Amino acid sequence: MSVAMVTLGCARNEVDSEELAGRLAAGGFTLVPDAADADTVVVNTCGFVDAAKKDSVDTLLAAADLKESGRTQAVVAVGCLAERYGDELAQSLPEADAVLGFDDYPDISARLRSIVAGEQHQAHVPRDRRTLLPLAPADRAAPAGTVPRRRLESGPMAPLKLASGCDRRCTFCAIPRFRGSFVSRRPHDLLAEARWLAGEGVREVFLVSENSTSYGKDLGDLRLLETMLPELSAIEGIDRVRVSYLQPAEIRPGLVETIATTPGVAAYYDLSFQHASAGVLRRMRRFGDPESFLGLLARIREHAPQAGVRSNVIVGFPGETDADLDTLCEFLVAARMDVTGVFGYSDEEGTEAASYDGKLDDDEIRARVEHVTGLVEELTSQRAQERVGETVQVLVEDLSGAVPVGRAALQGPEVDGTTSLEGASSGVAVGDIVEAVVVASDGVDLVARPTGGDPA
């Protein structure tokens, strides 16, 4: 029986899909890339914000339409939207044959076979997963010698999940309710999976989690990430290790230095600022202010002047004043970040902020988003222009256009800019790392010319 995995949302979902694919392959399913060619379609949904929820529902409906062609027998929803809404989603979306929660993942093959056989699956009733006891460290390891994962993409970059869940209580975020408490993966499992990825042709591993700065705290060592990064970067075949989603309030000086100075680790800082006004941050149940954030950026650039920095900000949060917005904009000007995602606030059910007063109307939020987005576009274009003359190491990912395209160490996958290699030799291949000098920019994207050395 064939199965197609359709993945929506973040890089953490990509890892989940590959783990599900590994379990399905071990259970006798044949993986196919095109949903139209599959007996069963598993849609790994995203349930973070309204736009992602709509995209997930639309994808499930499109997959359900394939059943009319006669090949597809079942469409199954998994992932965050499925976990978050469970039986409610199953009742409102009868086009999907089943809605499976995270607890169904270990037996995914048996679940799919029973669904295709016509058995009715009783969708779970959602619960706040923070109330569940997390796995003890001794129970987290995969069976010795196994990597329960099957690659669904063939590119030279792959995400590697450090941990799952989150212990923070940001008032705008519902993720901890359906992802649960923070649970670190054991180091030997991470190292084993990274070696396996290297054997699959991966040259860059992208460490993902809901909060990478917390890695190791539940294993008794809050500085475990500083220890792990040199070990990961020393794996044969892995040329670049990148860390995502760092909480500014939790970043330690040692972690800043380790990321900046360890060979093979990208000097790249994905910092979750969310805002700069101290008052707005307190209402978000976060910490910081422009002075502390700018101080952190100064320490980063002291260690690595060419470091890449990205962040996300939320505008229009309940109670945000004109002065708060001005504070954010002034911070963005001073911060000189390479990429900044701008999001307008919207209520998420089950969050504390949804009950706050001081809500801004939708038109005002849209106006603020447009204002900050316009500023960010100008600032990030300026920052890219400042990169002209810098020497970068570009991981080649795409040869379909007129010139090879990849990413420098300062550019994260998918959400950041790219680097085009102007004048690269015809012998450049996907997966090569090419040294080049930045000669121009286009928005956040860079144009670089190889220095003439052989690709790594």
Side-chain angles (χ1 to χ4, degrees):
M1 186 175 294
S2 59
V3 59
M5 293 292 311
V6 179
T7 306
L8 304 170
C10 64
R12 297 183 292 277
N13 258 17
E14 293 177 27
V15 179
D16 288 349
S17 286
E18 293 193 350
E19 291 177 353
L20 289 171
R23 293 180 185 277
L24 289 167
F29 282 82
T30 299
L31 297 167
V32 296
D34 191 339
D37 298 329
D39 298 313
T40 57
V41 179
V42 177
V43 180
N44 191 354
T45 61
C46 179
F48 183 38
V49 294
D50 286 343
K53 296 174 194 174
K54 182 180 184 303
D55 192 22
S56 295
V57 170
D58 290 346
T59 302
L60 285 163
L61 291 172
D65 288 342
L66 296 173
K67 290 189 286 186
E68 300 300 320
S69 67
R71 177 62 187 265
T72 300
Q73 301 173 48
V75 173
V76 176
V78 299
C80 292
L81 187 73
E83 174 64 35
R84 185 174 182 181
Y85 294 102
D87 57 348
E88 180 184 343
L89 179 64
Q91 293 170 22
S92 63
L93 196 70
E95 292 86 352
D97 297 277
V99 172
L100 304 183
F102 296 152
D103 293 336
D104 292 306
Y105 284 14
D107 300 316
I108 188 68
S109 295
R111 295 285 189 274
L112 254 61
R113 290 189 185 282
S114 67
I115 291 162
V116 173
E119 298 179 21
Q120 292 295 313
H121 175 79
Q122 183 65 44
H124 65 285
V125 177
R127 53 182 169 172
D128 187 342
R129 295 187 72 90
R130 295 173 298 182
T131 63
L132 304 178
L133 288 175
L135 284 174
D139 297 326
R140 297 179 193 173
T146 67
V147 176
R149 182 173 175 180
R150 178 71 65 91
R151 288 207 77 198
L152 299 174
E153 302 290 342
S154 59
M157 184 284 300
L160 177 62
K161 187 157 57 175
L162 276 177
S164 61
C166 185
D167 290 338
R168 298 185 69 89
R169 294 296 181 263
C170 302
T171 59
F172 56 83
C173 183
I175 289 176
R177 294 178 64 88
F178 54 86
R179 278 289 185 180
S181 300
F182 186 88
V183 177
S184 300
R185 295 184 63 196
R186 294 175 66 107
H188 64 78
D189 290 336
L190 286 169
L191 291 167
E193 190 164 328
R195 294 188 191 100
W196 176 80
L197 288 169
E200 294 286 308
V202 170
R203 302 200 68 179
E204 176 182 321
V205 291
F206 184 38
L207 303 181
V208 299
S209 72
E210 278 77 16
N211 178 7
S212 296
T213 32
S214 282
Y215 177 70
K217 71 174 186 179
D218 50 330
L219 297 174
D221 186 358
L222 189 54
R223 292 175 173 80
L224 192 55
L225 185 56
E226 289 95 306
T227 304
M228 283 289 300
L229 287 173
E231 294 187 59
L232 286 166
S233 64
I235 292 173
E236 185 176 357
I238 299 298
D239 294 290
R240 183 185 289 166
V241 178
R242 184 183 304 276
V243 187
S244 73
Y245 215 77
L246 302 168
Q247 289 287 348
E250 296 182 23
I251 291 186
R252 308 165 291 278
L255 180 57
V256 169
E257 184 175 357
T258 299
I259 292 174
T261 62
T262 303
V265 175
Y268 175 83
Y269 296 82
D270 177 12
L271 301 168
S272 176
F273 288 128
Q274 302 299 353
H275 211 281
S277 164
V280 172
L281 288 166
R282 281 196 296 273
R283 289 193 292 278
M284 289 179 169
R285 211 180 294 281
R286 298 176 67 85
F287 305 94
D289 52 47
E291 291 74 23
S292 63
F293 291 165
L294 292 173
L296 172 59
L297 292 171
R299 291 193 296 275
I300 288 170
R301 288 163 177 153
E302 180 181 350
H303 287 291
Q306 295 184 7
V309 180
R310 83 168 323 273
S311 189
N312 295 316
V313 296
I314 299 172
V315 297
F317 192 77
E320 182 188 65
T321 64
D322 291 343
D324 292 327
L325 189 65
D326 289 342
T327 297
L328 173 62
C329 292
E330 290 167 4
F331 164 73
L332 292 173
V333 171
R336 294 173 50 249
M337 291 186 287
D338 294 275
V339 178
T340 304
V342 182
F343 298 90
Y345 172 81
S346 61
D347 285 339
E348 278 294 310
E349 57 192 278
T351 63
E352 184 178 340
S355 66
Y356 283 2
D357 56 14
K359 299 281 179 65
L360 281 66
D361 63 47
D362 291 343
D363 289 341
E364 177 62 23
I365 293 175
R366 276 193 294 271
R368 294 186 180 206
V369 168
E370 290 176 6
H371 173 69
V372 177
T373 298
L375 174 63
V376 161
E377 288 175 351
E378 180 180 352
L379 293 171
T380 52
S381 293
Q382 291 174 2
R383 182 62 181 139
Q385 183 62 33
E386 293 174 2
R387 298 285 187 182
V388 172
E390 292 184 1
T391 299
V392 292
Q393 307 293 323
V394 180
L395 175 64
V396 178
E397 295 182 309
D398 185 7
L399 298 176
S400 63
V403 298
V405 176
R407 289 177 297 105
L410 61 94
Q411 297 167 318
E414 298 183 3
V415 293
D416 294 350
T418 60
T419 300
S420 299
L421 289 170
E422 186 180 84
S425 70
S426 58
V428 171
V430 169
D432 284 347
I433 294 182
V434 177
E435 183 179 89
V437 175
V438 179
V439 296
S441 64
D442 181 9
V444 297
D445 297 325
L446 303 178
V447 178
R449 186 170 293 121
T451 58
D454 293 332

